Amino acid sequence: MLLSGDSPDGATSAARRDCTALASGYEMGEVQMCHTVFPWHSNHCGELSAGQLLTWIDTTACLAAERHAGMACVTASVDDIQIEETARVGQQICIKAKVNRAFNTSMEVGIKVAVEDSLTNSQKHVCTAFSTYVAKPAGTKKVNLKPVRLQTPQDHLEYSLAAERRRVRLYHEDAYDNLMEDGSLLYDAVLESDHNKVSTDSTCVESIELVLPPHANHQGNTFGGQIMAWMETVANISASRLCHTHAILKSVDMFKFRGPSTVGDRLVFRAIVNNTFQKSVEVGVRVEAYNCEEWTKGKPRHINSAFLIYQALDAKNQYITFPRVKACTEDSIRRFRGAIARRKIRVARKYILSSVPEKPISHPWDKGNQAYLSYNNIAALTFLAARNGWELNSKMYNVKVFTHEENDTLSIRVDMQVKIQASQAYLLLSDLGLRPHWDVHYLSCEVVETAGVDDKIFYITCPPIKQKRSTDFVVLMSRRYPCKNGDPYVIAVRSVTLASCPPSVKFLRGEVQCAGFLIYSTGRDECQVSYLNQLTSGIMPYIEENLTGWSNSIEETASSCIKFLETAKIYTTLL
């Protein structure tokens, strides 16, 4: 939706002077808009307010959509937004929007936002966003949007990914419903034993806005960017009440517009904290609209809902850890569980749909560096396991799945309780040649080079998932006995390159950054087996449906591993 005035607070003219849509030199469906951040765009910290940023993003994206469609367009939804940088007063915000793909009546617009500092001549990436717009022709004219003209390899990539993102949007609610049926989304033992949980009652915020002509677009509907800005305001207040300091918007979990509102409507905004996750908090916002008649009868229209994720800094400029929240009432339990489900989907979307190409992570294997690679292999797995902030993702009777997100890297940890001695599990799991017996993701696994008793290089083949070709890996497996009582047995895996195993046209070569097993003795004939994997693009397709709630492949593979170990333990006794 197109904004009729950039600033409803009386600064419209000044804002317009510093906002330029650069049409020349750009393809149809592509727009660039630049703004100088003035004090009236900022919060009390002198930083660009998140609400103003959302307003500008929606304005620029709508201009791109309307330029491609040749008619008025309205915002249907805005995908997850990850905000990486902030802008301060005096700096410039540069927003580029381009239609990635047009469907029948809707289109996806990709938006990239950067902050520029003219004093230092530097530029930093603020965020990337994807919005869906629907063309609204005048009268009864039918819409059949023209296709996007693809010129560069990046155009083709975004065109292809747009279809995948659309598939995820269409199945978002089904994925959410599937996750909500999973009872493990409620509590875990750690949460149950936490006596410092806090109530979210005090974080409930309600606000009302009267839609005036400056808040409307050229069609008379409330400007979508303005609604998003108002939503961010109440959500920020809610999050700040929990942390007792200024909250910083870090990401948005999809704005979805369910219906229009017009000039004269009363918009009621309600926000409340749903759940906390270590150093972040989710706030839910619901928007209802009333016209004069509806206002009297108390019959609102639900026009928008969104979930915003905030963080906060302490006096030392470190992110604070939020307290865990209570879920006592039926409504608070629903919101508590819903936040966990959305986080699972959000994490999966972020990493599965990322278009950022990965750098090669495999190191050449030779006699000169084998000691270093072996040490690095063991150390990387040990450090990964020791990280704080693992979040429970799902649990079964004897299997728990955790996720960890840090610096744009997603990791999983699967804890399995097994009735077998730790030393026996160690021997069985370190023989990767046995893995095809219990892991359906392994077609074959064979030793191609030995570098001592505890270091071997394996060649692994895996079945195709989405791609037409199967995937293969060349990995270094390093294993270690415990140094002292209480230490785990370690089996670490990472990719290497080997001259005798070059990539083949028959297989798509995958890479493993850090993976393996830590085995802890918990009794005479019992142990805990923890499997960890720092996910890469080569691994992600095999667990994608699990992360989005469409399958239980991780849990099923873990159960198969447990069954294999408990069945095979009799044979290790004879070794």
Side-chain angles (χ1 to χ4, degrees):
M1 284 169 276
L2 180 62
L3 182 65
S4 60
D6 288 310
S7 179
D9 59 4
T12 303
S13 298
R16 283 175 174 170
R17 288 196 299 269
D18 291 274
C19 163
T20 305
L22 304 177
S24 59
Y26 287 87
E27 291 295 322
M28 294 300 292
E30 184 175 2
V31 167
Q32 177 170 313
M33 186 176 283
C34 298
H35 301 264
T36 297
V37 180
F38 285 112
W40 54 84
H41 299 137
S42 67
N43 57 28
H44 63 283
C45 298
E47 299 172 343
L48 174 65
S49 74
Q52 182 63 69
L53 175 62
L54 294 172
T55 299
W56 285 342
I57 286 175
D58 194 54
T59 306
T60 313
C62 185
L63 288 172
E66 292 189 335
R67 189 177 186 199
H68 179 84
M71 64 185 72
C73 296
V74 295
T75 313
S77 66
V78 182
D79 284 4
D80 306 344
I81 302 176
Q82 307 289 332
I83 301 177
E84 301 173 13
E85 285 287 341
T86 58
R88 303 192 66 84
V89 171
Q91 294 181 320
Q92 288 77 46
I93 286 288
C94 181
I95 306 173
K96 296 180 180 179
K98 185 176 183 179
V99 176
N100 291 328
R101 185 165 183 164
F103 302 96
N104 291 331
T105 60
S106 66
M107 69 204 90
E108 180 195 272
V109 180
I111 308 109
K112 294 183 179 179
V113 184
V115 56
E116 301 176 351
D117 193 318
S118 54
L119 297 180
T120 61
N121 197 29
S122 63
Q123 185 180 87
K124 294 182 179 179
H125 178 71
V126 174
C127 66
T128 298
F130 298 97
S131 296
T132 301
Y133 286 85
V134 176
K136 292 292 184 181
T140 58
K141 180 181 177 182
K142 292 190 67 175
V143 179
N144 190 8
L145 295 172
K146 60 181 179 292
V148 174
R149 184 168 60 178
L150 307 177
Q151 293 184 313
T152 67
Q154 186 65 27
D155 291 342
H156 287 272
L157 175 62
E158 293 298 344
Y159 180 87
S160 176
L161 290 174
E164 184 69 9
R165 286 187 288 262
R166 184 171 185 260
R167 181 185 68 85
V168 173
R169 290 184 203 110
L170 294 175
Y171 288 101
H172 181 274
E173 291 188 7
D174 288 339
Y176 175 80
D177 291 340
N178 289 340
L179 289 172
M180 288 296 285
E181 292 177 0
D182 182 0
S184 68
L185 291 178
L186 188 52
Y187 289 115
D188 60 66
V190 175
L191 179 62
E192 289 283 11
S193 62
D194 186 355
H195 300 294
N196 297 316
K197 294 177 289 186
V198 300
S199 171
T200 60
D201 292 346
S202 63
T203 69
C204 184
V205 179
E206 182 173 313
S207 181
I208 186 169
E209 298 286 350
L210 175 62
V211 180
L212 300 173
H215 305 141
N217 60 21
H218 50 301
Q219 303 171 66
N221 293 327
T222 313
F223 170 51
Q226 179 63 75
I227 294 177
M228 291 191 290
W230 282 332
M231 294 175 75
E232 196 283 324
T233 297
V234 294
N236 193 300
I237 295 172
S238 179
S240 297
R241 286 182 178 179
L242 182 71
C243 62
H244 305 294
T245 186
H246 175 63
I248 305 168
L249 181 65
K250 284 298 180 180
S251 64
V252 176
D253 193 322
M254 188 177 288
F255 287 103
K256 186 173 182 179
F257 288 85
R258 301 175 183 272
S261 67
T262 58
V263 172
D265 277 347
R266 284 78 169 161
L267 301 185
V268 177
F269 299 81
R270 294 184 177 90
I272 190 170
V273 167
N274 291 329
N275 207 340
T276 58
F277 303 96
Q278 297 287 332
K279 297 181 180 180
S280 66
V281 56
E282 181 196 277
V283 181
V285 186
R286 179 183 175 93
V287 187
E288 295 176 338
Y290 300 80
N291 58 30
C292 288
E293 183 177 350
E294 293 166 338
W295 184 252
T296 304
K297 296 180 179 180
K299 295 182 179 179
R301 290 170 280 124
H302 180 198
I303 64 168
N304 204 334
S305 289
F307 303 93
L308 295 85
I309 293 80
Y310 289 87
Q311 292 182 313
L313 298 172
D314 60 17
K316 297 181 180 180
N317 214 33
Q318 299 294 318
Y319 287 115
I320 70 170
T321 299
F322 286 88
R324 302 302 296 266
V325 300
K326 295 179 182 178
C328 303
T329 66
E330 183 177 344
D331 181 64
S332 63
I333 290 173
R334 175 187 58 80
R335 292 186 288 102
F336 182 97
R337 297 177 69 233
I340 299 173
R342 281 185 293 273
R343 186 178 187 274
K344 291 181 67 174
I345 296 173
R346 185 168 60 249
V347 169
R349 286 167 63 94
K350 178 179 177 181
Y351 290 95
I352 294 170
L353 302 182
S354 173
S355 60
V356 179
E358 290 191 57
K359 297 179 180 179
I361 57 178
S362 300
H363 290 278
W365 171 265
D366 59 45
K367 296 295 183 181
N369 69 359
Q370 67 181 43
Y372 163 77
L373 283 179
S374 178
Y375 167 80
N376 180 267
N377 199 12
I378 297 293
L381 184 64
T382 304
F383 285 134
L384 177 60
R387 288 179 178 174
N388 295 320
W390 288 94
E391 295 280 353
L392 181 66
N393 196 273
S394 68
K395 64 180 179 181
M396 295 171 52
Y397 172 70
N398 50 4
V399 176
K400 290 184 179 180
V401 180
F402 299 81
T403 57
H404 186 281
E405 184 182 9
E406 185 177 15
N407 297 329
D408 289 334
T409 301
L410 178 65
S411 304
I412 64 167
R413 189 183 90 218
V414 185
D415 289 348
M416 297 168 275
Q417 303 300 322
V418 189
K419 294 179 180 179
I420 184 176
Q421 291 182 4
S423 58
Q424 294 176 315
Y426 171 71
L427 292 174
L428 289 167
L429 293 175
S430 62
D431 185 354
L432 296 188
L434 297 175
R435 189 154 176 175
H437 292 289
W438 57 268
D439 192 342
V440 297
H441 302 117
Y442 275 55
L443 289 177
S444 65
C445 186
E446 59 182 14
V447 177
V448 292
E449 188 166 326
T450 300
V453 176
D454 294 323
D455 295 275
K456 297 179 181 179
I457 298 178
F458 287 83
Y459 176 70
I460 302 167
T461 61
C462 301
I465 299 294
K466 289 186 176 181
Q467 62 274 15
K468 295 181 180 180
R469 291 180 292 170
S470 299
T471 304
D472 66 352
F473 299 85
V474 177
V475 302
L476 166 66
M477 187 280 294
S478 303
R479 67 178 189 176
R480 298 292 185 271
Y481 280 88
C483 295
K484 59 181 181 181
N485 289 336
D487 284 354
Y489 292 83
V490 181
I491 305 169
V493 175
R494 64 157 300 150
S495 283
V496 294
T497 57
L498 196 64
S500 59
C501 291
S504 166
V505 294
K506 294 175 58 179
F507 295 92
L508 185 67
R509 178 59 53 91
E511 293 182 298
V512 179
Q513 183 162 310
C514 176
F517 298 91
L518 297 178
I519 306 168
Y520 301 84
S521 178
T522 56
R524 182 176 178 181
D525 291 306
E526 295 180 350
C527 66
Q528 175 181 296
V529 177
S530 294
Y531 172 75
L532 299 102
N533 199 316
Q534 198 168 44
L535 301 176
T536 60
S537 59
I539 303 296
M540 189 65 78
Y542 294 96
I543 67 166
E544 173 181 339
E545 291 190 346
N546 188 280
L547 289 176
T548 52
W550 286 102
S551 78
N552 293 316
S553 60
I554 295 178
E555 292 87 342
E556 291 168 356
T557 303
S559 297
S560 179
C561 178
I562 293 172
K563 183 178 180 180
F564 166 78
L565 292 174
E566 293 181 347
T567 303
K569 65 180 180 180
I570 187 173
Y571 299 107
T572 61
T573 305
L574 302 176
L575 292 178

